[in-house]
Amino acid sequence: MSEELFPEPEWLSEEVKTGTTIIAVTFDGGVVLGSDSRVSAGESVVNRVMNKLSPLHDKIYCALSGSAADAQTIAEIVNYQLDVHSYLSPMSYDPLVCSAATLVKNISYKYKEELSAHLIVAGWDRKKGGQVYATLNGLLSRQPFAIGGSGSFYINGFVDAEYRKNMTKRESQEFVVNALTLAMGRDGSSGGVAYVVTIDKDGAEEKCVLGNELPKFFDE
Amino acid sequence: MHFTVVFSGLSGVCDRLRQARVRTPAAGSFSNVVSVKMATVLQFPASVSTFNNYNDLYPDWTQREVSTGTTIMAVEFEGGVVIGADSRTTTGAYIANRVTDKLTPIHERIFCCRSGSAADTQAIADAVTYQLGFHSIELDEAPLVQTAASLFREMCYRYREELMAGIIVAGWDPRRGGQVYTVPVGGMMTRQPVSVGGSGSSYIYGYVDSNYRAGMSKEECLKFTAEALTLAMERDGSSGGVVRLAVISEQGVERQVILGNQLPKFSTV
């Protein structure tokens, strides 16, 4: 009886999700990753400034979406595995993006019934340059660009229309910021600020675009 | 075109299907595969077939309601409106009609774009056509687009529990020129310069937000609509076929069809 008079707030029992928008794009010489910053539990926003772009290695990052706990744990495990791999192996150069993506895929596939997280792995290595891998539910697919998260549905049309091969670094960054802004404008579970990471042969550069600096689009 | 799909002994189930569908997450909006499956299972009683149920005796399309899972769009420009729709009607995974006309005339210069259940929208459109025709005779002048939209809204709101209909009403009248009103599922009504609807619309919100500009010409609106519909048709399994367009203005209605091989091409699709 008392539970009905004072119902437990939804956010105590709802799983914490990064209902989100993430995107990664290759350009000639590297990749650009972008994400929003909202973490929601049911209808509450539990973190409005979370950085969902998580480093797996110096020049390999991954973008998190889905259940926040699952995604963060996978990223931490793979970060550890890559550290061990680059420490123990005789190679003096950095691990391949493909290796990182395969490690993520192995975890996602083996525990696919228990986990619900989608990570996009992107980075630069000296063998194949900038690469983007999608690892949804245990598949591994290399793509010129990838989008993920609940907000990505609204920008499918936009990225299909606007993406062109061989964009410059500047154009790719603008493309990522525009896509994120449009998705954050339509998806209730995405919002906050936009985090952008650019990775090329010189390293990774992180940037945060605040709400008032985001581009403005016509909004009915 | 008239459609009757026979549900052998499942008529009570249809009401449940329709009720339950109103509460399940809209197509394409999940962020967690597990929770969508749980949500659908919890809301159906054990005896009702869900979208995962595979029964050899009855093909999938005999257990599903006919729906215009679709993409529809309407844009205002100076002097009129441009409306567009795809042409696919599905019953489950089967395409019942691949050349459907979802742009239905309600009056001489007022059209509606239908999405949702094919039967529901056809019935509502027929009823509103009758009511508007009667009203126009009484008034002895052309009806306002807002009147047509209000009639749709009345019906969609009053019977919101039984219906599943998302409608865009667009047309031209002498008082206010070209207007677009959207009446989504649930029965709200609002006027917008550009409106998209149907299951495929989720995929093109970003494209429409970034590419719409106020004050486009008729040709620019036609191109914008055709491109948006093409992008949605490429991504949404329930939209496809040809693109049907219509321009409504003071001069009347011009209709056109863009066939599959004439659709605009994008580098990624």
Side-chain angles (χ1 to χ4, degrees):
Chain A
M1 191 60 154
S2 60
E3 293 90 40
E4 281 153 35
L5 286 177
F6 303 104
E8 190 185 73
E10 219 181 275
W11 51 263
L12 280 178
S13 47
E14 275 273 348
E15 189 182 335
V16 173
K17 287 207 247 298
T18 50
T20 190
T21 313
I22 51 177
I23 173 172
V25 183
T26 44
F27 65 90
D28 195 17
V31 293
V32 179
L33 288 106
S35 83
D36 73 307
S37 68
R38 180 173 291 182
V39 180
S40 50
E43 281 150 13
S44 305
V45 175
V46 295
N47 187 345
R48 62 184 168 91
V49 285
M50 165 150 181
N51 191 343
K52 299 174 191 174
L53 304 176
S54 189
L56 297 178
H57 202 82
D58 296 334
K59 298 200 186 80
I60 307 176
Y61 270 64
C62 73
L64 315 173
S65 77
S67 151
D70 290 347
Q72 278 188 334
T73 309
I74 298 176
E76 277 170 23
I77 293 175
V78 174
N79 186 356
Y80 166 76
Q81 288 173 338
L82 278 178
D83 279 344
V84 168
H85 166 82
S86 46
Y87 177 72
L88 288 181
S89 77
M91 298 182 285
S92 58
Y93 50 80
D94 292 327
L96 299 177
V97 186
C98 189
S99 317
T102 307
L103 290 169
V104 172
K105 179 264 289 176
N106 287 342
I107 304 176
S108 301
Y109 183 69
K110 186 164 179 197
Y111 300 103
K112 71 187 302 206
E113 304 303 326
E114 290 99 3
L115 295 175
S116 64
H118 169 32
L119 275 70
I120 299 180
V121 180
W124 183 93
D125 63 37
R126 28 158 70 197
K127 231 178 163 191
K128 291 192 197 148
Q131 300 145 72
V132 168
Y133 291 86
T135 66
L136 172 68
N137 270 346
L139 81 80
L140 179 62
S141 163
R142 181 173 173 202
Q143 300 172 195
F145 69 90
I147 54 178
S150 57
S152 70
F153 292 103
Y154 302 102
I155 47 173
N156 263 300
F158 175 77
V159 300
D160 280 343
E162 301 294 323
Y163 175 75
R164 284 154 296 121
K165 285 196 262 229
N166 299 328
M167 290 195 280
T168 64
K169 177 157 94 165
R170 170 113 266 187
E171 286 173 341
S172 309
Q173 287 170 333
E174 271 177 34
F175 174 69
V176 162
V177 171
N178 286 341
L180 287 173
T181 308
L182 289 165
M184 299 200 295
R186 285 289 177 180
D187 180 30
S189 328
S190 303
V193 303
Y195 287 103
V196 180
V197 168
T198 313
I199 309 175
D200 55 19
K201 62 176 174 28
D202 302 318
E205 182 201 314
E206 294 192 18
K207 193 165 159 235
C208 174
V209 183
L210 297 179
N212 58 343
E213 294 161 15
L214 291 170
K216 305 245 179 304
F217 289 99
F218 166 78
D219 263 320
E220 309 133 52
Chain B
M1 276 221 102
H2 211 64
F3 264 102
T4 41
V5 180
V6 177
F7 297 92
S8 39
L10 291 172
S11 53
V13 157
C14 304
D15 299 308
R16 282 305 188 104
L17 275 171
R18 237 177 290 143
Q19 278 171 21
R21 196 177 332 120
V22 170
R23 280 184 292 259
T24 47
S29 70
F30 71 93
S31 56
N32 181 334
V33 175
V34 170
S35 77
V36 165
K37 282 190 179 149
M38 282 297 292
T40 355
V41 165
L42 283 173
Q43 289 170 18
F44 284 95
S47 55
V48 175
S49 49
T50 69
F51 61 77
N52 267 332
N53 191 16
Y54 177 61
N55 188 348
D56 265 330
L57 294 176
Y58 300 105
D60 166 63
W61 52 264
T62 56
Q63 295 169 16
R64 307 283 226 107
E65 188 175 330
V66 177
S67 96
T68 49
T70 189
T71 317
I72 51 178
M73 183 165 164
V75 190
E76 284 177 17
F77 67 91
E78 183 69 47
V81 292
V82 169
I83 56 176
D86 73 305
S87 70
R88 184 174 287 185
T89 309
T90 49
T91 15
Y94 175 67
I95 299 175
N97 185 352
R98 61 185 171 91
V99 284
T100 325
D101 185 9
K102 302 178 191 175
L103 306 175
T104 312
I106 303 295
H107 202 260
E108 218 182 307
R109 284 183 180 76
I110 306 178
F111 269 62
C112 77
C113 313
R114 302 180 289 113
S115 77
S117 153
D120 288 349
T121 52
Q122 281 181 350
I124 300 172
D126 286 346
V128 171
T129 307
Y130 163 75
Q131 291 168 350
L132 200 65
F134 188 79
H135 167 76
S136 161
I137 289 171
E138 278 190 316
L139 219 59
D140 199 23
E141 64 180 41
L144 298 176
V145 185
Q146 188 180 15
T147 314
S150 292
L151 288 169
F152 271 107
R153 184 264 309 272
E154 269 304 300
M155 198 162 293
C156 291
Y157 180 69
R158 184 178 298 257
Y159 301 109
R160 55 183 293 169
E161 303 300 327
E162 286 94 356
L163 293 175
M164 172 137 124
I167 295 177
I168 300 181
V169 185
W172 182 93
D173 64 39
R175 198 184 291 186
R176 297 200 191 117
Q179 300 146 72
V180 171
Y181 293 87
T182 178
V183 182
V185 171
M188 94 161 180
M189 174 186 91
T190 184
R191 181 178 173 189
Q192 292 179 316
V194 55
S195 183
V196 292
S199 59
S201 67
S202 326
Y203 302 102
I204 49 173
Y205 275 112
Y207 179 78
V208 169
D209 282 343
S210 61
N211 284 64
Y212 175 75
R213 290 157 293 119
M216 287 197 284
S217 70
K218 178 174 97 168
E219 283 70 30
E220 288 173 326
C221 286
L222 280 166
K223 180 160 176 283
F224 173 55
T225 310
E227 288 184 344
L229 288 172
T230 306
L231 288 164
M233 281 159 47
E234 286 294 324
R235 286 288 176 182
D236 181 27
S238 324
S239 303
V242 303
V243 169
R244 292 196 188 274
L245 295 168
V247 183
I248 311 171
S249 63
E250 188 178 356
Q251 286 77 33
V253 179
E254 302 161 32
R255 301 200 59 158
Q256 43 174 285
V257 179
I258 306 185
L259 300 178
N261 57 345
Q262 299 161 341
L263 292 170
K265 306 242 180 308
F266 297 95
S267 67
T268 49
V269 295

